[in-house]
Amino acid sequence: MAKILVVDDEAQIRGLLVKMLSVEQHEVIEAENGTQGGEKYRAHRPDLLITDLVMPEKNGIDMILELKKEFPSIRIVAISGGGGITGSFDYLPIAKLVGALHILQKPFSLQELKSAVAEALGTPGAR
Ligand SMILES: [Mg+2]
């Protein structure tokens, strides 16, 4: 069991992630944008951060850059819709460049999420 922070501006996606992760007995904390995500990461120091990339207020890439600087060993799984309603630009490769251990394209299956989470949690903190 791990403590996992889920950051996504869509309540529906957060709900889905909470459901999926709770089945795996994880403790889940939620935030709805990068600003809130950063605050909650600092307050709760979760074992893993699962974050969307396109969000109002502060996007996922900016939040990752900030947290990575403060917590170099942070474990991150990035999720994004890529070229969906948010536009054709794909942010996932950038998330990988700035420190995400795994990237998941929405929509993803429970199995894909489970293995990304397991691998990220199994990765030694310091990279
Ligand atoms: Mg979003």
Side-chain angles (χ1 to χ4, degrees):
M1 181 185 144
K3 199 197 285 184
I4 300 175
L5 172 60
V6 166
V7 187
D8 198 303
D9 58 319
E10 287 173 65
Q12 215 181 328
I13 306 267
R14 290 201 308 275
L16 184 71
L17 282 164
V18 169
K19 220 185 214 171
M20 286 176 160
L21 295 166
S22 301
V23 170
E24 300 293 302
Q25 312 290 317
H26 296 304
E27 179 191 342
V28 188
I29 301 154
E30 297 175 57
E32 57 187 49
N33 58 55
T35 305
Q36 222 183 72
E39 284 164 7
K40 292 204 173 180
Y41 189 90
R42 292 178 188 100
H44 298 277
R45 298 297 309 273
D47 303 296
L48 177 65
L49 166 65
I50 299 180
T51 185
D52 181 27
L53 297 175
V54 180
M55 296 180 287
E57 199 121 349
K58 184 180 287 175
N59 68 60
I61 300 290
D62 286 348
M63 177 186 64
I64 290 172
L65 284 169
E66 281 181 18
L67 289 173
K68 187 79 185 165
K69 224 180 274 177
E70 276 176 70
F71 309 97
S73 62
I74 185 172
R75 296 185 179 97
I76 302 163
V77 172
I79 55 176
S80 185
I85 45 163
T86 50
S88 58
F89 196 76
D90 188 1
Y91 290 95
L92 285 171
I94 299 177
K96 193 116 206 199
L97 276 179
V98 297
L101 295 168
H102 290 279
I103 52 179
L104 287 176
Q105 186 89 47
K106 290 176 189 172
F108 45 80
S109 67
L110 174 60
Q111 198 48 51
E112 287 172 309
L113 177 73
K114 266 169 73 171
S115 53
V117 167
E119 281 176 43
L121 287 172
T123 304
R127 313 200 312 135

